[in-house]
Amino acid sequence: MNGNTFVIKCGGSTLAALPNGFFAELAAFQRQGLQPVIVHGGGPEISQSLGKLGIHTEFVDGLRRTTSEVLDVVEMVLAGKINKEIVRRMTQNGAKAVGLSGTDGRLLTAQPVANADKLGYVGEVTEVNTELLNSLLSVGYIPVVAPVGLGADNQRYNINADTAAGAVASSLGATPFIVVTDVPGIAGTVGGVKKVLPSVTPSKIKSMIESGEIYGGMIPKVQAALKCLGGNVNEVVIVNGSEPGVLGKVLRGENIGTKITAEQAAAPA
């Protein structure tokens, strides 16, 4: 793995609002020899498409319950529409990018999540085809990955984008792992005032989930971060993608968003 590789996860609700400058910044990084890998979501567009088709959708613990009918729409929206929109915007802004689904070249091998009886065809990543990613990076392309995985039995699985991105970051040993959202970081209460926490530890995150301060869609984000920290990644940063020059600020180590680091490394919030 090239030490210049880092993974960016872009949330579905964030993508449409990302300025052209975000994609131009990626193109500039590429020209400098840095190697981003992007994993994206698409929750709002999936919900919108399901609504238009009259297909019921619901969430359990921040994850979408996925029936066979829902899965067809998930794959269509993620791999067919959003993935290509991202590649197109990157190309328009001077980057070289290739769009992939996790089923392409068995990029993401998956198995059912523990509570599959409640969630249906929702998967967790068991293996990442890093050879495929590194091959693309070595010839100068930014891989853009839609989080649909393939089981050993060739069953497709809907994989939460945070979980998929975390698995990709761990498998590549890519640091930092940057989670791009539409919020400025993890908010917590300090002295009775709600504010963005500059850094948090795994134990702090666990207590915030228990207290309900971290809830809904933020839960899979922080859980993916915790799993990464247990692997080959030593820093996860959650940032707002609309902040000008956000990626460069993270890579330069500026104080932006919320850094999630192992217990001994985190600064006091």
Side-chain angles (χ1 to χ4, degrees):
M1 195 280 296
N2 188 317
N4 289 333
T5 305
F6 60 98
V7 172
I8 301 166
K9 185 267 172 172
C10 287
S13 56
T14 311
L15 283 164
L18 284 175
N20 278 333
F22 180 88
F23 298 98
E25 195 177 15
L26 281 169
F29 287 151
Q30 192 175 37
R31 289 192 294 272
Q32 293 162 23
L34 297 176
Q35 296 184 311
V37 176
I38 295 175
V39 181
H40 66 85
E45 285 212 42
I46 292 168
S47 295
Q48 195 176 23
S49 294
L50 288 167
K52 284 179 184 171
L53 294 166
I55 300 170
H56 175 69
T57 187
E58 61 183 334
F59 287 83
V60 179
D61 298 330
L63 300 174
R64 187 187 303 275
R65 185 170 176 275
T66 305
T67 61
S68 181
E69 204 176 16
V70 169
L71 186 56
D72 284 341
V73 177
V74 165
E75 186 170 47
M76 176 182 74
V77 174
L78 285 177
K81 184 173 188 289
I82 295 175
N83 189 272
K84 302 313 166 197
E85 284 175 357
I86 296 170
V87 171
R88 192 161 61 247
R89 286 194 73 187
M90 291 178 72
T91 303
Q92 285 167 352
N93 284 281
K96 289 170 65 181
V98 172
L100 300 162
S101 161
T103 62
D104 293 326
R106 280 197 178 275
L107 178 54
L108 301 176
T109 300
Q111 67 183 20
V113 291
N115 54 342
D117 55 325
K118 291 181 186 173
L119 284 166
Y121 295 114
V122 175
E124 60 184 7
V125 180
T126 56
E127 191 178 345
V128 177
N129 185 347
T130 53
E131 185 183 1
L132 177 54
L133 292 174
N134 283 322
S135 294
L136 289 167
L137 291 168
S138 70
V139 291
Y141 286 91
I142 297 173
V144 180
V145 181
V148 178
L150 207 56
D153 58 354
N154 293 318
Q155 169 62 49
R156 292 168 302 157
Y157 289 97
N158 177 15
I159 303 170
N160 173 268
D162 297 294
T163 306
V168 169
S170 283
S171 68
L172 290 170
T175 291
F177 168 32
I178 305 171
V179 180
V180 177
T181 70
D182 54 1
V183 296
I186 297 174
T189 305
V190 180
V193 179
K194 199 88 164 164
K195 66 171 199 171
V196 174
L197 304 176
S199 68
V200 290
T201 60
S203 58
K204 175 70 171 172
I205 285 173
K206 284 167 188 167
S207 70
M208 289 178 75
I209 292 174
E210 285 166 12
S211 71
E213 277 194 286
I214 292 177
Y215 60 92
M218 186 59 83
I219 291 176
K221 287 178 177 52
V222 296
Q223 286 177 336
L226 296 185
K227 203 164 180 183
C228 272
L229 292 176
N232 300 317
V233 177
N234 57 35
E235 184 176 277
V236 181
V237 188
I238 298 177
V239 293
N240 189 331
S242 63
E243 170 97 17
V246 65
L247 298 175
K249 289 175 182 176
V250 172
L251 295 178
R252 289 191 297 272
E254 292 182 24
N255 192 12
I256 185 170
T258 300
K259 288 185 177 69
I260 305 173
T261 52
E263 300 293 335
Q264 71 278 10

